[in-house]
Amino acid sequence: MELYYDLLLESFLKLGPEKPILQGTVFGWVASGKVGSSRPDSTLKLAHVTSTQSLDEQLSRFWEIESCWTTSTQSLEETACENHFAAIVFRDQTGRFVVTLPKRAEILNQLGNSKEIASRRFRALERRFDTNPHLKEAYTVFINEYHQLNHIREISDSEASAPIAYYLPHHGVEKAESTTTKLRVVFDASCRTDTGISLNQALMLGPVIQDDLLSIILRFRMHRYVIIADIEKMFRQIRVHPSDYPLQRILWRFSSSQPLRTFELTTVTCGTASAVGGWIE
């Protein structure tokens, strides 16, 4: 009502007894009131807005404004990815969701050797450790936490002989100004193997399931109070099926005097295409 009278114009017509009243508005004429009926004991009540636009144009515009956004048509791959998720997702005995990676089988079979480049990248990381002891300390804390939370498992040389495996190169990004995570470890699933194929190329991309920005902002006008929260280690709250562990291997050792050790990540990994969709490549 605070805006109602701002919409009215000075034009006003009263058509007579048992007839509607016409009121001019910025949107056109508004007709309201009673309309005589052929039945003496009945009258029709109406409210109608007239406009220079056709009825089809008005209805189209109305639904565009009301809906705010329209869901785009999904691609065949996005549909396949959603069907894959619906078919395989389950919860383990602790209640955590377990998923398998949405793989493109024809490309996955082309994955080559990735251990050699992962080894070179790790030795480059160790050279950074030599010049930056603080980075090594933070990295070690990160790996230990990963292990304590059972988000990673070490495998022996005999277990490493999987038909298809992928070694994720990794490096650290330091954020001194961050109040929570000073070190962010990045897993590079876009690194190509010796056949020129990377893990991300062998994974399907699902549709964007987050609400668009407009819908989020509009919800801020619906309630008096707004609560914003952050899910700790969001990706890692979801486990990966053990059959896909070999596709998420990393190399690590606590000292350069030790032999390289092989670990497998057991949770959804930020850096894989299926986890972060359009952010990758």
Side-chain angles (χ1 to χ4, degrees):
M1 290 301 296
E2 61 183 303
L3 299 175
Y4 175 74
Y5 292 100
D6 293 333
L7 306 178
L8 303 182
L9 302 178
E10 294 182 0
S11 49
F12 177 87
L13 294 174
K14 188 170 184 179
L15 301 182
E18 299 296 326
K19 292 184 179 181
I21 296 172
L22 303 182
Q23 172 67 58
T25 74
V26 295
F27 300 115
W29 288 95
V30 174
S32 62
K34 298 179 179 180
V35 175
S37 171
S38 57
R39 293 174 56 189
D41 60 342
S42 116
T43 59
L44 299 178
K45 299 177 178 62
L46 64 88
H48 181 66
V49 180
T50 63
S51 171
T52 56
Q53 289 183 310
S54 69
L55 183 59
D56 285 344
E57 291 175 331
Q58 292 181 60
L59 283 175
S60 296
R61 180 61 178 155
F62 171 77
W63 288 116
E64 287 172 3
I65 294 173
E66 286 295 301
S67 61
C68 293
W69 59 273
T70 303
T71 303
S72 60
T73 303
Q74 293 183 359
S75 67
L76 292 176
E77 181 173 299
E78 289 172 340
T79 301
C81 203
E82 282 208 335
N83 292 339
H84 168 82
F85 174 80
I88 58 87
V89 66
F90 67 93
R91 304 183 89 165
D92 64 14
Q93 64 273 17
T94 67
R96 289 190 182 275
F97 286 102
V98 181
V99 298
T100 60
L101 300 179
K103 299 174 285 292
R104 299 183 179 119
E106 70 284 358
I107 299 179
L108 186 69
N109 292 327
Q110 301 175 39
L111 276 181
N113 187 316
S114 56
K115 186 173 183 178
E116 184 178 345
I117 188 170
S119 177
R120 292 200 305 267
R121 295 268 293 269
F122 180 74
R123 287 184 169 86
L125 177 63
E126 284 187 314
R127 289 193 289 273
R128 287 183 61 194
F129 289 164
D130 292 338
T131 59
N132 188 346
H134 178 73
L135 174 63
K136 181 180 180 180
E137 180 182 354
Y139 223 103
T140 301
V141 169
F142 171 83
I143 295 294
N144 283 332
E145 180 196 55
Y146 235 105
H147 194 269
Q148 290 168 4
L149 295 173
N150 294 319
H151 294 173
I152 193 174
R153 70 178 197 128
E154 185 173 5
I155 62 172
S156 63
D157 292 339
S158 60
E159 295 177 285
S161 57
I164 300 178
Y166 185 83
Y167 290 79
L168 293 159
H170 53 93
H171 64 276
V173 177
E174 293 182 287
K175 294 184 178 180
E177 70 280 3
S178 175
T179 58
T180 55
T181 306
K182 301 291 185 182
L183 173 70
R184 178 171 172 258
V185 175
V186 178
F187 298 100
D188 184 8
S190 294
C191 181
R192 298 178 186 271
T193 64
D194 58 3
T195 60
I197 302 297
S198 71
L199 176 62
N200 276 344
Q201 292 174 303
L203 297 178
M204 291 190 291
L205 296 178
V208 176
I209 59 174
Q210 294 94 341
D211 287 341
D212 63 284
L213 186 58
L214 176 60
S215 298
I216 294 173
I217 293 176
L218 287 177
R219 286 206 296 270
F220 274 72
R221 297 179 61 85
M222 296 173 63
H223 307 283
R224 184 173 183 179
Y225 301 104
V226 176
I227 298 176
I228 300 176
D230 181 28
I231 301 175
E232 184 180 9
K233 301 176 180 62
M234 181 178 71
F235 290 102
R236 289 160 54 187
Q237 303 304 324
I238 304 170
R239 292 200 171 275
V240 169
H241 192 276
S243 61
D244 284 335
Y245 287 175
L247 295 176
Q248 299 191 151
R249 290 180 176 174
I250 67 168
L251 298 175
W252 173 258
R253 60 185 173 188
F254 292 97
S255 171
S256 58
S257 61
Q258 299 174 344
L260 283 176
R261 299 157 67 181
T262 301
F263 295 83
E264 291 178 340
L265 307 182
T266 62
T267 62
V268 171
T269 301
C270 182
T272 56
S274 54
V276 292
W279 300 347
I280 295 295
E281 296 184 328

